Amino acid sequence: MIIGIGTDLANIDRIAATLARFGDRFRNRVFTETEQRKAERRRDVAGTYAKRWAAKEACSKALGTGLRMGIAWKDMSVRNLHTGQPVMEVTGWAKTRLEALTPPGHEAIIHVTLTDDHPWAQATVLIEARPVAEPGGQKLAHGQDLP
């Protein structure tokens, strides 16, 4: 079942201007070390940061809070699998909020997609609550047999 969805559109030129004006102060306030390493290795540094900015905004919306109620920018982090697929990880208050949204007997799966077409970067986050197997692994949480 879907328990949250969020999307955001970021202007890459605006992020580039913010990076130029505030530099490390902006980077360190908003992005994790992993996100910074990824962005700084890319040809389109500002575009990479803009996509991650949009993902954090989208994730906060999917959590139903926006960037308030104690969620910090770094509580949401985008990394990439070896295949290049982006994944969203949450910590701190964002993780606490996610756990509160997740029904008993379910696990939360955060899906994220990123795209850009200069000057725009876009992200969509969908949070799915997936039933987990009971101890012994024979039944799903809602009583169906496993395949």
Side-chain angles (χ1 to χ4, degrees), residues 99-141:
E99 290 167 352
L101 288 173
T102 306
H106 291 71
E107 64 178 334
I109 310 296
I110 302 174
H111 304 275
V112 61
T113 185
L114 309 173
T115 191
D116 65 287
D117 187 5
H118 196 89
W120 301 107
Q122 181 181 7
T124 301
V125 171
L126 183 132
I127 304 175
E128 170 190 10
R130 189 178 293 169
V132 294
E134 293 178 1
Q138 297 302 308
K139 301 273 185 187
L140 293 174

Side-chain angles (χ1 to χ4, degrees), residues 27-32 56 72-77 91:
R27 282 182 194 88
N28 294 331
R29 182 175 152 249
V30 176
F31 302 101
T32 65
K56 292 168 185 273
W73 286 104
K74 288 181 167 183
D75 285 350
M76 301 164 288
S77 176
T91 59

Side-chain angles (χ1 to χ4, degrees), residues 43-134:
R43 186 169 30 116
D44 183 10
V45 172
T48 302
Y49 279 122
K51 286 185 279 189
R52 278 147 179 76
W53 171 280
K56 292 168 185 273
E57 288 274 6
C59 184
S60 71
K61 293 171 186 176
L63 289 169
T65 64
L67 285 162
R68 58 183 177 85
M69 294 177 62
I71 293 180
W73 286 104
K74 288 181 167 183
D75 285 350
M76 301 164 288
S77 176
V78 178
R79 68 176 180 82
N80 295 83
L81 301 177
H82 70 279
T83 60
Q85 176 185 350
V87 293
M88 177 68 69
E89 297 174 340
V90 293
T91 59
W93 202 91
K95 184 175 181 179
T96 300
R97 174 70 177 160
L98 179 62
E99 290 167 352
L101 288 173
T102 306
H106 291 71
E107 64 178 334
I109 310 296
I110 302 174
H111 304 275
V112 61
T113 185
L114 309 173
T115 191
D116 65 287
D117 187 5
H118 196 89
W120 301 107
Q122 181 181 7
T124 301
V125 171
L126 183 132
I127 304 175
E128 170 190 10
R130 189 178 293 169
V132 294
E134 293 178 1

